[in-house]
Amino acid sequence: VALDALVISVHLEGVAVEGDLRRARFIVVSPTPDFQVEIDGLVRRDISAATHLVEQWPMWRESRSQPWMVRVWFSPPEGSLAWLTVAGVTVPVPLTDDWHTLPELENIRRISGPVATQETHLWGGVVSAWKVYQMTGDASPVLDWGVGAGRVAVPLRRLFGVEVLGVDVDEVNVRWCQENLPDVPVSLSTLYPPLDFPDNHFAAVYGISVMTHLQRDTQLVWLRELRRVLQPGGVAILTVHGDHSLIQRPMTDAVSRAIAEDGISDHERDDIVAVAEAGYYRGTFQLRAQVKEAWGAVMPIVAYLPTANALRQDYVVLRRDR
Ligand SMILES: C[S@@+](CC[C@H](N)C(=O)[O-])C[C@H]1O[C@@H](n2cnc3c(N)ncnc32)[C@H](O)[C@@H]1O
């Protein structure tokens, strides 16, 4: 039985203002196209009839889940968030940024590349923070490993009330966080372990779009270190460029060969993001089966959420055993 085929994953892909309406765009990974859309608990209240399914993409290999793109037009309610339920999954849609401290584009682009904007920083961060919060709840303290400019940590702290600390190897963004985010303590970490925290310190650790840039051996070195700082029973939530990311980009022969042979391609350099050591940063792609085998040997994998954020990355959830 392919239980994966039953997993429904929904993420916000964008928010735009159109006259008096907001347009939210979602990716829904689901085996079926029959979606119900609700806003703030009321089925189809204020949702335009133009809500529709735009497109379906094929998945990698024989995966039975399918990604669908859904657009929803709605009148924004009062407050900073609208809650939309798409295909049974409730997602916060940010409507204001008055609770945020948005970084300058220069800081954002150090972490998210040249197409990122303050808007993508805002809604992408809320989506990831909500995903993390659903899994960690009020666990405390929580570490944001590779915090960047607080894209996820700020909404996690300010919208969902989580006590979150951050580390990053990028001095520029660490300084920006220290100067601008009094409620999120951030410190500089090193390219290789150890972290400056004692054993068993954190109830949860997350790293959004960090493993996606590390070589396979470096991934495992860091996984063992994250295990060390986790409390027994604590969870690590880490994203990868998984099966779905692979079909979204033109693959070179070298990448296809590496994936076919090893289930992972980690040789491509990615110098968009400014990291001290040349060649440290990679564009790493890996199959779910490879993650299961390599990472599962370090910590049990308790959940795997395909294409679960706006970057179309998969979320791997591991739990430190006793
Ligand atoms: C693509 S950015 C994502 C930033 C942030 N997690 C977010 O979602 O906005 C990757 C971040 O990981 C940081 N990074 C890379 N290798 C790291 C490591 N070994 N330890 C901590 N941070 C690292 C980079 O400096 C960068 O800020």
Side-chain angles (χ1 to χ4, degrees):
V1 177
L3 290 177
D4 294 353
L6 304 176
V7 172
I8 295 181
S9 165
V10 175
H11 72 78
L12 181 64
E13 175 84 358
V15 189
V17 178
E18 287 187 7
D20 294 339
L21 296 177
R22 296 289 167 95
R23 171 168 51 78
R25 210 168 71 241
F26 295 91
I27 301 295
V28 178
V29 182
S30 155
T32 153
D34 302 324
F35 305 128
Q36 177 81 276
V37 178
E38 304 170 26
I39 177 167
D40 291 350
L42 293 174
V43 178
R44 292 188 172 268
R45 174 170 70 84
D46 289 338
I47 292 181
S48 134
T51 297
H52 57 228
L53 213 59
V54 177
E55 222 181 304
Q56 181 189 8
W57 291 304
M59 271 298 263
W60 175 256
R61 300 203 175 151
E62 67 281 345
S63 167
R64 296 187 202 180
S65 299
Q66 292 290 345
W68 309 83
M69 187 183 283
V70 178
R71 287 187 192 150
V72 178
W73 283 260
F74 63 100
S75 308
E78 292 294 309
S80 23
L81 295 175
W83 293 88
L84 265 64
T85 304
V86 181
V89 178
T90 301
V91 182
V93 176
L95 300 172
T96 66
D97 62 10
D98 48 6
W99 51 273
H100 211 306
T101 311
L102 288 170
E104 298 301 324
L105 267 187
E106 184 211 325
N107 294 81
I108 292 175
R109 290 183 174 170
R110 288 179 81 80
I111 55 175
S112 307
V115 294
T117 62
Q118 288 187 320
E119 287 73 33
T120 61
H121 186 89
L122 172 70
W123 52 255
V126 171
V127 169
S128 286
W130 174 238
K131 195 133 282 178
V132 167
Y133 181 63
Q134 282 177 295
M135 291 185 261
T136 61
D138 296 324
S140 167
V142 172
L143 176 66
D144 184 328
W145 174 62
V147 64
R151 193 178 65 99
V152 182
V154 170
L156 194 62
R157 171 75 223 159
R158 298 189 188 164
L159 295 178
F160 308 123
V162 172
E163 188 197 331
V164 56
L165 286 70
V167 294
D168 203 291
V169 295
D170 179 16
E171 279 178 40
V172 173
N173 269 328
V174 166
R175 202 175 324 117
W176 183 87
C177 291
Q178 290 171 340
E179 287 169 2
N180 293 281
L181 308 177
D183 47 349
V184 180
V186 169
S187 53
L188 191 63
S189 56
T190 45
L191 292 173
Y192 298 95
L195 291 170
D196 194 13
F197 297 106
D199 295 358
N200 308 335
H201 190 67
F202 292 102
V205 172
Y206 65 89
I208 308 302
S209 199
V210 183
M211 288 298 201
T212 44
H213 297 286
L214 303 185
Q215 292 177 74
R216 83 181 85 175
D217 293 345
T218 314
Q219 287 185 340
L220 296 179
V221 163
W222 273 112
L223 202 53
R224 286 192 281 272
E225 176 64 358
L226 297 180
R227 183 182 190 286
R228 178 186 73 77
V229 297
L230 269 179
Q231 298 163 6
V235 292
I237 302 163
L238 302 164
T239 68
V240 293
H241 288 135
D243 302 21
H244 186 60
S245 303
L246 276 167
I247 58 147
Q248 297 255 197
R249 69 194 299 270
M251 254 192 287
T252 62
D253 287 350
V255 172
S256 310
R257 218 171 20 250
I259 293 285
E261 283 169 11
D262 302 329
I264 182 167
S265 164
D266 63 354
H267 62 276
E268 283 196 330
R269 283 174 64 152
D270 179 352
D271 293 325
I272 292 177
V273 181
V275 167
E277 187 182 295
Y280 180 86
Y281 229 65
R282 305 292 167 118
T284 301
F285 292 81
Q286 56 205 126
L287 295 179
R288 177 175 179 159
Q290 190 276 339
V291 172
K292 196 171 162 190
E293 192 180 326
W295 295 20
V298 180
M299 269 194 274
I301 296 173
V302 292
Y304 191 101
L305 312 177
T307 182
N309 68 9
L311 306 167
R312 317 250 169 89
Q313 299 174 349
D314 297 348
Y315 279 52
V316 187
V317 188
L318 308 100
R319 190 193 303 276
R320 181 180 163 180
D321 41 15
R322 304 280 142 189

